[in-house]
Amino acid sequence: MKKKNLGYFLISFLTGTFLGVVFVNLLGNAYVEKVGLFSSYFFRQYQELKIDCDQVFFFVWKKRMSTILFIWLMGMTSAGAVFTLLYSGYLGFMAGILVMTAILRMGWQGMVIVISSLVPQIFVYSPAMVFFLNEIYEKGMKRQTTYWVRGRREIDWRYGRIFFAVSLIFFLGIMLESYVNPAVLQYILKNFFG
């Protein structure tokens, strides 16, 4: 991975984060109250909830895999490189909104909950997503979605293998998010906020 590409992703992510923070601050407390994120009622209910991890797995699997498939398909277009930067910015924007809402609603405790909700799957998702976006960015910069051999079109099998590998890694993250993270979050909520 080129450090220059990582820098582009980081700048895009941080710009999105800044815009997310500004967005929440401009809309103010009315927005934060209306959204309902980080309400004490929700956390009290979550502490006692019996979570069906299998149901969570299928919900998370559908969300994550459809995102990976969409990103992969966008990478086949000539706009793939631009899309990776926009997607990095989008992730930053969502992170900015989440963090700022947590801070406005709960202060430092909100940050503890945000971090708890990301562990342990973030350690799988983040490197896989950075690798995936980098591959798509490189592919887009080379403008080589397909190429011609002896007058006929040939499929870029390497790009397919990358999708398969990233999907397997994301499957591990989905397992962690579905079966480990609910227990982590419930433990944190019961022992530090209960």
Side-chain angles (χ1 to χ4, degrees):
M1 177 181 309
K2 295 181 182 176
K3 286 185 181 182
K4 184 172 82 168
N5 295 353
L6 191 57
Y8 292 153
F9 296 138
L10 186 60
I11 289 169
S12 178
F13 183 84
L14 291 176
T15 301
T17 303
F18 173 75
L19 292 174
V21 168
V22 169
F23 178 76
V24 171
N25 280 313
L26 287 177
L27 295 177
N29 285 335
Y31 170 76
V32 172
E33 293 295 326
K34 184 179 176 183
V35 170
L37 287 173
F38 300 99
S39 70
S40 57
Y41 173 77
F42 170 77
F43 290 127
R44 279 194 306 275
Q45 294 297 320
Y46 192 85
Q47 288 175 14
E48 303 305 321
L49 186 66
K50 173 68 176 127
I51 297 172
D52 181 358
C53 293
D54 293 334
Q55 190 174 8
V56 172
F57 172 81
F58 288 110
F59 175 79
V60 172
W61 182 81
K62 181 181 173 187
K63 293 289 186 189
R64 301 292 179 255
M65 295 312 292
S66 60
T67 300
I68 292 297
L69 180 61
F70 178 73
I71 292 169
W72 183 70
L73 292 172
M74 285 300 296
M76 290 185 192
T77 69
S78 57
V82 173
F83 175 77
T84 60
L85 297 175
L86 291 175
Y87 188 72
S88 294
Y90 165 77
L91 291 175
F93 184 74
M94 291 292 115
I97 288 174
L98 182 66
V99 167
M100 199 62 210
T101 303
I103 291 171
L104 288 176
R105 288 289 297 226
M106 301 183 74
W108 69 269
Q109 293 175 325
M111 284 305 304
V112 171
I113 292 172
V114 167
I115 292 167
S116 300
S117 68
L118 296 174
V119 173
Q121 69 271 13
I122 194 74
F123 300 115
V124 175
Y125 288 150
S126 294
M129 185 58 78
V130 169
F131 170 77
F132 195 43
L133 292 177
N134 181 66
E135 289 295 322
I136 293 170
Y137 183 82
E138 285 293 317
K139 183 175 184 59
M141 293 306 289
K142 291 177 184 173
R143 299 185 196 284
Q144 188 179 8
T145 56
T146 59
Y147 49 91
W148 292 85
V149 176
R150 295 189 202 131
R152 67 176 209 267
R153 200 174 190 164
E154 189 170 298
I155 298 172
D156 184 356
W157 291 106
R158 181 180 181 278
Y159 192 58
R161 287 190 304 269
I162 288 170
F163 173 74
F164 183 71
V166 169
S167 295
L168 286 177
I169 295 168
F170 258 71
F171 183 76
L172 173 62
I174 292 166
M175 295 290 286
L176 291 171
E177 186 173 2
S178 304
Y179 294 100
V180 176
N181 179 260
V184 169
L185 194 53
Q186 278 188 327
Y187 177 82
I188 296 293
L189 290 173
K190 281 180 183 176
N191 292 305
F192 298 102
F193 299 99

